[in-house]
Amino acid sequence: QVQLVESGGGLVQAGGSLRLSCAASGGTFSRYTMTWFRQDAGKEREFVAHISWFGGGSTGYADSVKGRFIISRDNAKNTVYLQMNSLKPEDTAVYYCNAVGPGIDSWGQGTQVTVSS
């Protein structure tokens, strides 16, 4: 079983930055593909960014965040990060991290990001 704990959310003005962290415990973090999702009230959960465990950690982004958000991982710290720059009010949501690996599909509890205009 893998436990994921997100942190780093908060209230920020439009144009500002935040860095989210997701710390993993109880598994082999280096073998997991890590993904950030987000969900705003009344909307479906949507993909934000992912980083693979192989190939040097290839990354992918939703079009809505490409060029503004950067996902990275530190396998020594069992942590994945989401650097969010040039934030917009439409980025307001609860952000969740997800770990997928052999027999693993785990979610964190989420961290709230609120961007004021």
CSV table of all heavy atoms in Angstrom, one decimal, residues 6-29:
chain,number,residue,atom,x,y,z
A,6,GLU,N,-0.3,15.3,-0.1
A,6,GLU,CA,0.0,16.5,-0.8
A,6,GLU,C,0.1,17.7,0.1
A,6,GLU,O,-0.5,17.7,1.2
A,6,GLU,CB,-1.1,16.8,-1.8
A,6,GLU,CG,-1.4,15.8,-2.9
A,6,GLU,CD,-2.5,14.8,-2.5
A,6,GLU,OE1,-2.8,14.7,-1.3
A,6,GLU,OE2,-3.1,14.3,-3.4
A,7,SER,N,0.9,18.7,-0.3
A,7,SER,CA,1.0,19.9,0.5
A,7,SER,C,1.4,21.0,-0.4
A,7,SER,O,1.8,20.8,-1.6
A,7,SER,CB,2.1,19.7,1.6
A,7,SER,OG,3.4,19.4,1.1
A,8,GLY,N,1.4,22.3,0.1
A,8,GLY,CA,1.8,23.4,-0.7
A,8,GLY,C,0.7,24.2,-1.3
A,8,GLY,O,1.0,25.3,-1.9
A,9,GLY,N,-0.5,23.8,-1.1
A,9,GLY,CA,-1.6,24.6,-1.6
A,9,GLY,C,-1.8,25.9,-0.8
A,9,GLY,O,-1.2,26.1,0.2
A,10,GLY,N,-2.7,26.7,-1.3
A,10,GLY,CA,-3.0,28.0,-0.6
A,10,GLY,C,-3.7,29.0,-1.5
A,10,GLY,O,-4.2,28.6,-2.6
A,11,LEU,N,-3.8,30.2,-1.0
A,11,LEU,CA,-4.4,31.3,-1.7
A,11,LEU,C,-3.3,32.2,-2.4
A,11,LEU,O,-2.4,32.6,-1.7
A,11,LEU,CB,-5.2,32.1,-0.8
A,11,LEU,CG,-5.9,33.4,-1.3
A,11,LEU,CD1,-6.9,33.1,-2.4
A,11,LEU,CD2,-6.6,34.2,-0.2
A,12,VAL,N,-3.4,32.4,-3.6
A,12,VAL,CA,-2.5,33.2,-4.4
A,12,VAL,C,-3.2,34.1,-5.4
A,12,VAL,O,-4.2,33.8,-5.9
A,12,VAL,CB,-1.4,32.3,-5.1
A,12,VAL,CG1,-2.1,31.5,-6.1
A,12,VAL,CG2,-0.3,33.1,-5.6
A,13,GLN,N,-2.6,35.3,-5.6
A,13,GLN,CA,-3.2,36.2,-6.6
A,13,GLN,C,-2.8,35.7,-8.0
A,13,GLN,O,-1.8,35.0,-8.3
A,13,GLN,CB,-2.6,37.6,-6.4
A,13,GLN,CG,-3.2,38.3,-5.2
A,13,GLN,CD,-2.8,39.8,-5.2
A,13,GLN,OE1,-1.8,40.2,-5.7
A,13,GLN,NE2,-3.7,40.6,-4.5
A,14,ALA,N,-3.7,36.1,-9.0
A,14,ALA,CA,-3.4,35.7,-10.4
A,14,ALA,C,-2.0,36.3,-10.8
A,14,ALA,O,-1.6,37.4,-10.4
A,14,ALA,CB,-4.5,36.3,-11.3
A,15,GLY,N,-1.3,35.4,-11.5
A,15,GLY,CA,0.0,35.7,-11.9
A,15,GLY,C,1.1,35.2,-11.0
A,15,GLY,O,2.3,35.3,-11.3
A,16,GLY,N,0.7,34.8,-9.8
A,16,GLY,CA,1.6,34.3,-8.8
A,16,GLY,C,2.0,32.8,-9.0
A,16,GLY,O,1.6,32.2,-10.0
A,17,SER,N,2.8,32.3,-8.1
A,17,SER,CA,3.3,30.9,-8.2
A,17,SER,C,3.1,30.2,-6.9
A,17,SER,O,3.0,30.7,-5.8
A,17,SER,CB,4.8,31.0,-8.5
A,17,SER,OG,5.1,31.6,-9.7
A,18,LEU,N,3.0,28.9,-7.1
A,18,LEU,CA,2.9,27.9,-5.9
A,18,LEU,C,3.7,26.7,-6.3
A,18,LEU,O,3.8,26.3,-7.5
A,18,LEU,CB,1.5,27.5,-5.6
A,18,LEU,CG,0.6,28.5,-4.8
A,18,LEU,CD1,-0.8,28.0,-4.7
A,18,LEU,CD2,1.2,28.8,-3.4
A,19,ARG,N,4.2,26.0,-5.3
A,19,ARG,CA,4.8,24.7,-5.6
A,19,ARG,C,4.2,23.7,-4.7
A,19,ARG,O,4.2,23.7,-3.5
A,19,ARG,CB,6.3,24.7,-5.3
A,19,ARG,CG,7.0,23.4,-5.8
A,19,ARG,CD,8.5,23.3,-5.7
A,19,ARG,NE,8.9,23.0,-4.3
A,19,ARG,CZ,10.1,22.4,-4.0
A,19,ARG,NH1,10.9,22.1,-5.0
A,19,ARG,NH2,10.4,22.2,-2.8
A,20,LEU,N,3.5,22.7,-5.4
A,20,LEU,CA,2.9,21.6,-4.6
A,20,LEU,C,3.9,20.4,-4.5
A,20,LEU,O,4.7,20.2,-5.4
A,20,LEU,CB,1.7,21.1,-5.4
A,20,LEU,CG,0.6,22.1,-5.7
A,20,LEU,CD1,-0.6,21.5,-6.4
A,20,LEU,CD2,0.2,22.9,-4.5
A,21,SER,N,3.8,19.7,-3.4
A,21,SER,CA,4.6,18.5,-3.1
A,21,SER,C,3.6,17.4,-2.9
A,21,SER,O,2.6,17.6,-2.3
A,21,SER,CB,5.5,18.8,-2.0
A,21,SER,OG,6.4,19.8,-2.1
A,22,CYS,N,4.1,16.2,-3.2
A,22,CYS,CA,3.4,15.0,-2.9
A,22,CYS,C,4.4,14.0,-2.4
A,22,CYS,O,5.2,13.5,-3.2
A,22,CYS,CB,2.6,14.5,-4.1
A,22,CYS,SG,1.9,12.8,-3.9
A,23,ALA,N,4.3,13.7,-1.1
A,23,ALA,CA,5.3,12.7,-0.5
A,23,ALA,C,4.7,11.3,-0.4
A,23,ALA,O,3.5,11.2,0.0
A,23,ALA,CB,5.7,13.2,0.9
A,24,ALA,N,5.4,10.4,-0.9
A,24,ALA,CA,5.0,9.0,-0.9
A,24,ALA,C,5.7,8.2,0.2
A,24,ALA,O,6.8,8.4,0.5
A,24,ALA,CB,5.2,8.4,-2.3
A,25,SER,N,4.9,7.2,0.7
A,25,SER,CA,5.5,6.3,1.7
A,25,SER,C,4.9,4.9,1.5
A,25,SER,O,3.8,4.8,1.0
A,25,SER,CB,5.3,6.8,3.1
A,25,SER,OG,4.0,6.9,3.4
A,26,GLY,N,5.7,3.9,1.9
A,26,GLY,CA,5.1,2.6,1.9
A,26,GLY,C,5.3,1.8,0.6
A,26,GLY,O,4.7,0.8,0.4
A,27,GLY,N,6.0,2.3,-0.4
A,27,GLY,CA,6.2,1.6,-1.6
A,27,GLY,C,7.5,1.9,-2.3
A,27,GLY,O,8.4,2.5,-1.7
A,28,THR,N,7.6,1.5,-3.5
A,28,THR,CA,8.8,1.7,-4.3
A,28,THR,C,8.6,2.9,-5.2
A,28,THR,O,8.3,2.7,-6.4
A,28,THR,CB,9.2,0.5,-5.1
A,28,THR,OG1,9.3,-0.7,-4.2
A,28,THR,CG2,10.6,0.7,-5.7
A,29,PHE,N,8.8,4.1,-4.7
A,29,PHE,CA,8.4,5.3,-5.4
A,29,PHE,C,9.1,5.4,-6.8
A,29,PHE,O,8.5,5.9,-7.7
A,29,PHE,CB,8.8,6.5,-4.6
A,29,PHE,CG,8.5,7.8,-5.2
A,29,PHE,CD1,7.3,8.4,-5.2
A,29,PHE,CD2,9.6,8.6,-5.8
A,29,PHE,CE1,7.0,9.6,-5.8
A,29,PHE,CE2,9.3,9.8,-6.4
A,29,PHE,CZ,8.0,10.3,-6.4
